[in-house]
Amino acid sequence: MTEADPGTSPAAYDIDWETLRHRAVELMHRAYAPYSSFPVGVAGLVDDGRVVAGCNVENAAYGVGLCAECGMVSDLHATGGGRLVAVFCVGADGSALMPCGRCRQLLWENGGPDCMLMTPEGPLTMREVLPQAFGVDDLRAGGAQP
């Protein structure tokens, strides 16, 4: 994957979707999903060229399980921050899986409207996946100081 200057649109990056898919499948095999038997893995390209990844981690208290995207975003910040440029999320069969609503919000917050997401229909921007998204600009407009 080729690094572009930070702040550059995702189109300026050479996104190797197969490498992202391979890393997501690798992490999917590390998922802890004893309750749902639904392992998920995800990998994302960061604007500095790093690849971050995560897998879902369930809990006997069902509501406190962590989606794979949560782990990936934690990996993003734990390894230096930056912005997500492209994301590939997979289920047990290794094909593209749409993130849940909470995770779409995480991707918006950490990648923005131009972040590319591989979907079952092919790559789409987060703007296309989550139209009229709520984000930091909405908080600022309401007087919050994020």
Side-chain angles (χ1 to χ4, degrees):
M1 305 205 191
T2 304
E3 181 180 345
D5 292 327
T8 308
S9 82
Y13 292 81
D14 180 22
I15 300 170
D16 183 346
W17 290 108
E18 188 54 29
T19 295
L20 288 177
R21 189 190 76 75
H22 178 74
R23 181 72 173 133
V25 168
E26 179 183 345
L27 270 283
M28 179 269 300
H29 287 294
R30 297 180 187 173
Y32 178 70
Y35 307 105
S36 71
S37 298
F38 194 81
V40 177
V42 66
L45 173 64
V46 183
D47 59 5
D48 64 4
R50 283 178 295 136
V51 173
V52 292
C55 61
N56 59 321
V57 178
E58 295 180 349
N59 188 290
Y62 294 142
V64 295
L66 298 173
C67 295
E69 296 85 346
C70 295
M72 179 187 66
V73 168
S74 182
D75 190 27
L76 170 71
H77 291 283
T79 60
R83 302 292 286 166
L84 293 169
V85 173
V87 175
F88 203 130
C89 183
V90 301
D93 67 357
S95 63
L97 180 69
M98 284 300 289
C100 70
R102 175 177 89 165
C103 291
R104 292 178 196 197
Q105 185 68 33
L106 277 172
L107 297 179
W108 182 274
E109 182 85 11
N110 291 279
D114 295 323
C115 177
M116 299 296 298
L117 175 65
M118 180 57 74
T119 75
E121 296 179 2
L124 296 174
T125 64
M126 284 306 299
R127 178 182 289 108
E128 294 169 301
V129 171
L130 197 59
Q132 301 181 41
F134 181 86
V136 69
D137 292 337
D138 297 297
L139 292 173
R140 287 186 184 126
Q145 298 298 316

